[in-house]
Amino acid sequence: ERVADANTYGIKYTMGATTVAVQRTDINYDGSTADQESTGYGISFALNENFSISAGALDVDIAGASADEENRGISASYTMGSITIAGNMNSVDNISGTSGSNAEVTGVNIAFAF
């Protein structure tokens, strides 16, 4: 069983249609040298009451890893009546700190509210 001390703190600020946020997390595993430090940030903007877009990133420094894990993503959604159409594109480079281990995913979602 892995036991860890984790600390997370962040700040979010909203002004009008824009929200920005930053978060920091530190994880220290007992008896391990694979501690992690991560910094995430994001921004969202509501163009109007129906359409919004957002982007975010998370960088993870894993002690002893060959590279920092880098996560990036963007998304958008549009709502008309009871239907929401949303899409996102996300990528991760250096998965778990392994240099050259990358992945990408794109998603589309259509939701109906009854």
Side-chain angles (χ1 to χ4, degrees), residues 54-107:
S54 61
L58 175 71
D59 295 321
V60 183
D61 179 9
I62 303 168
S66 61
D68 289 351
E69 182 177 287
E70 299 175 354
N71 301 272
R72 305 286 182 263
I74 60 171
S75 65
S77 68
Y78 180 74
T79 301
M80 59 182 162
S82 62
I83 300 172
T84 299
I85 300 169
N88 63 68
M89 294 187 302
N90 298 289
S91 67
V92 59
D93 293 335
N94 309 317
I95 298 169
S96 297
T98 303
S99 184
S101 177
N102 306 325
E104 293 183 359
V105 65
T106 301

